């Protein structure tokens, strides 16, 4: 019988069956299993819910698993909160039902968490590096935000990237009241920002989480919702701490520009793209406004290419550079085969 760790895994789910089964399989394959798994179904359609109930029942022999079903559709944030406030374990891990874990994820992460806890008694927030893959399991990019977290750093960019890589001490996640249920997107970023006031961060450079980038109904694909969430993040978290200066906000402005571009608003896209360029390279705050205005005019006449495509081009360049190292290339090939096996 496999060892267990004092972790509750919370999985929000809606109308997913095969993907949920795949996510649960990746938990079963852990070298150290969690002592609790809570699937929170967000009032799936009856034909899906029946199948979901059967899937959970099939895993009862291998996992301490339970299914909670919302009486109405209330969103992923509500579902995560319901799981969080029902958890009995010391730590909570989150796994979206369309993502998966590498087999040593919990073992490696808990080992590093315990090591950090011996040195510093503050509550823990931990995240691992991740593979971003397409729907067929082909690796798009390997991403890691670093080993440090601060109020300023997490406000400049959501470098943690996905909740599926995260383990957090249960009590501190409850202390900040969990997830903001009114946010239409970026709920993970808001959660990390609010936690940054209280936690020590344990970042693990190994890619132990697999984020599946597909065209199914992911909240981040809804640009109107994402734009509204970015505005909320700016008003409530970025402006109060970083102030009105543009320094350090390049990635945030570029994200806003991408939102507007995907929505077909070329004028607003040009304005925020100009802001991102200035924030990344212009040091003189006195003249930044004039330069931004001039660049905004320029980008209206000569719109930048697809910002989303630029982002994916950067991913390809990063992977090409990584594969130039023989050791990294061999590891990527090994992990690629493992990921394809987990996604079957």
């Amino acid at each position: 019988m496999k060892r267990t760790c004092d972790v509750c895994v919370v999985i929000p789910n809606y109308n997913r069956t095969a993907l949920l089964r795949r996510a649960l399989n990746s938990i079963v394959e852990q070298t150290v299993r969690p002592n609790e798994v809570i699937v929170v179904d967000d009032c799936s359609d009856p034909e899906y819910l029946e199948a979901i109930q059967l899937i959970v029942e099939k895993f009862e022999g291998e996992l301490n698993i339970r299914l909670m079903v919302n009486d109405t559709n209330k969103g992923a944030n509500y579902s995560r909160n319901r799981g969080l406030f029902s958890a009995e374990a010391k730590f909570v891990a989150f796994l979206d039902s369309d993502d998966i874990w590498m087999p040593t994820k919990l073992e490696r992460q808990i080992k590093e968490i315990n090591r950090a806890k011996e040195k510093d008694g503050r509550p823990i927030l931990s995240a691992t590096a991740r593979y971003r893959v397409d729907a067929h399991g082909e690796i798009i990019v390997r991403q890691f935000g670093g080993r440090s977290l601060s109020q300023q750093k997490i406000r400049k960019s959501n470098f943690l990237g996905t909740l599926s890589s995260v383990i957090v001490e249960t009590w501190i996640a409850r202390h900040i009241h969990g997830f903001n249920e009114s946010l239409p997107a970026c709920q993970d970023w808001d959660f990390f920002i609010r936690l940054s006031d209280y936690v020590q961060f344990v970042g693990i450079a190994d890619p132990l989480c697999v984020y599946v980038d597909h065209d199914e109904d992911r909240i981040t694909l809804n640009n109107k919702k994402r734009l509204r969430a970015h505005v909320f993040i700016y008003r409530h978290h970025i402006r109060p701490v970083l102030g009105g200066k543009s320094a350090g906000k390049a990635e945030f402005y570029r994200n806003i520009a991408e939102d507007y571009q995907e929505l077909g608003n070329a004028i607003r896209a040009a304005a925020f793209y100009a802001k991102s360029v200035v924030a990344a390279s212009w040091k003189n705050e006195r003249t930044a406004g004039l330069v931004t205005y001039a660049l905004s005019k320029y980008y209206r006449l000569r719109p930048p290419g697809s910002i989303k495509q630029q982002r994916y081009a950067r991913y390809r360049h990063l992977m090409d550079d990584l594969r130039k190292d023989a050791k990294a290339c061999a590891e990527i090939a090994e992990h690629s085969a493992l990921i394809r096996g987990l996604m079957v």
Side-chain angles (χ1 to χ4, degrees):
M1 187 172 181
K2 288 188 178 181
R3 290 179 294 142
T4 61
C5 55
D6 198 5
V7 172
C8 173
V9 184
V10 173
I11 306 176
N13 186 66
Y14 175 68
N15 279 357
R16 284 175 174 157
T17 53
L19 294 179
L20 174 63
R21 185 184 294 109
R22 187 178 71 186
L24 290 171
N25 274 327
S26 79
I27 298 176
V28 169
E29 293 299 320
Q30 292 296 298
T31 52
V32 172
R33 291 178 181 171
N35 60 15
E36 186 181 14
V37 178
I38 301 176
V39 177
V40 184
D41 186 83
D42 197 21
C43 194
S44 290
D45 297 336
E47 63 270 26
Y48 287 101
L49 183 57
E50 184 177 353
I52 289 163
Q53 290 168 331
L54 290 173
I55 289 167
V56 171
E57 286 175 11
K58 287 181 179 179
F59 281 93
E60 286 177 351
E62 298 187 89
L63 299 171
N64 176 24
I65 187 170
R66 55 184 162 134
L67 173 65
M68 305 176 76
V69 181
N70 297 338
D71 53 2
T72 59
N73 187 267
K74 297 181 178 179
N77 292 352
Y78 174 90
S79 299
R80 291 188 184 101
N81 280 342
R82 191 175 179 195
L84 168 64
F85 284 91
S86 300
E88 298 177 0
K90 181 177 181 179
F91 297 98
V92 171
F94 298 98
L95 177 59
D96 286 352
S97 56
D98 50 353
D99 294 336
I100 55 177
W101 286 345
M102 301 293 270
T104 60
K105 197 259 189 189
L106 286 181
E107 181 177 10
R108 291 288 310 282
Q109 204 165 6
I110 288 296
K111 181 179 179 181
E112 294 301 321
I113 286 171
N114 289 337
R115 185 178 297 169
K117 200 72 173 171
E118 288 177 2
K119 298 178 181 178
D120 187 332
R122 286 179 299 160
I124 296 283
L125 169 64
S126 175
T128 74
R130 61 201 175 275
Y131 282 117
R132 190 183 193 110
V133 306
D134 66 19
H136 306 290
E138 294 298 319
I139 294 174
I140 298 170
V141 69
R142 189 167 82 181
Q143 298 172 304
F144 178 54
R147 298 181 185 275
S148 65
L149 176 146
S150 67
Q151 285 188 342
Q152 289 74 22
K153 183 178 179 181
I154 192 60
R155 282 166 171 81
K156 291 175 183 177
S157 167
N158 182 11
F159 66 91
L160 303 188
T162 173
L163 279 167
S164 293
S165 80
V166 166
I167 292 178
V168 63
E169 212 154 328
T170 306
W171 80 265
I172 194 64
R174 290 174 177 167
H175 178 73
I176 66 164
H177 308 294
F179 297 92
N180 185 338
E181 295 173 19
S182 68
L183 263 183
C186 299
Q187 63 277 357
D188 54 345
W189 193 7
D190 170 77
F191 182 65
F192 302 148
I193 289 171
R194 288 184 289 112
L195 279 171
S196 68
D197 293 334
Y198 302 97
V199 298
Q200 60 168 314
F201 180 66
V202 179
I204 299 170
D206 296 308
L208 302 175
C209 168
V210 180
Y211 173 95
V212 183
D213 189 345
H214 54 69
D215 292 331
E216 204 172 319
D217 186 26
R218 260 195 197 274
I219 193 79
T220 50
L221 297 182
N222 189 320
N223 290 90
K224 283 186 178 180
K225 291 181 178 180
R226 198 173 79 151
L227 178 59
R228 282 169 48 206
H230 278 150
V231 171
F232 175 93
I233 295 285
Y234 179 77
R235 288 176 176 171
H236 290 82
H237 297 309
I238 295 177
R239 187 168 58 190
V241 172
L242 301 182
K245 296 182 179 180
S246 63
K249 300 177 186 175
E251 185 171 343
F252 176 78
Y253 289 142
R254 190 167 55 246
N255 288 337
I256 296 284
E258 181 178 330
D259 293 339
Y260 276 120
Q261 194 178 66
E262 293 295 310
L263 291 168
N265 190 330
I267 293 174
R268 298 293 286 174
F272 277 95
Y273 193 76
K275 282 176 175 283
S276 74
V277 172
V278 171
S281 58
W282 199 263
K283 304 302 181 185
N284 190 330
E285 287 288 342
R286 281 181 157 185
T287 58
L290 291 173
V291 176
T292 301
Y293 177 77
L295 278 177
S296 178
K297 289 282 192 180
Y298 174 80
Y299 289 127
R300 285 192 201 182
L301 295 172
R302 294 178 177 271
S306 168
I307 301 169
K308 182 177 181 179
Q309 289 180 14
Q310 291 178 36
R311 180 158 53 88
Y312 278 82
R314 289 197 300 273
Y315 294 160
R316 288 192 295 272
H317 290 316
L318 286 170
M319 289 304 294
D320 288 343
D321 287 343
L322 199 56
R323 287 190 171 100
K324 291 176 183 176
D325 179 270
K327 184 178 179 181
C329 188
E331 182 181 65
I332 291 168
E334 180 184 348
H335 288 173
S336 181
L338 178 57
I339 291 167
R340 285 196 297 269
L342 289 168
M343 290 185 68
V344 172

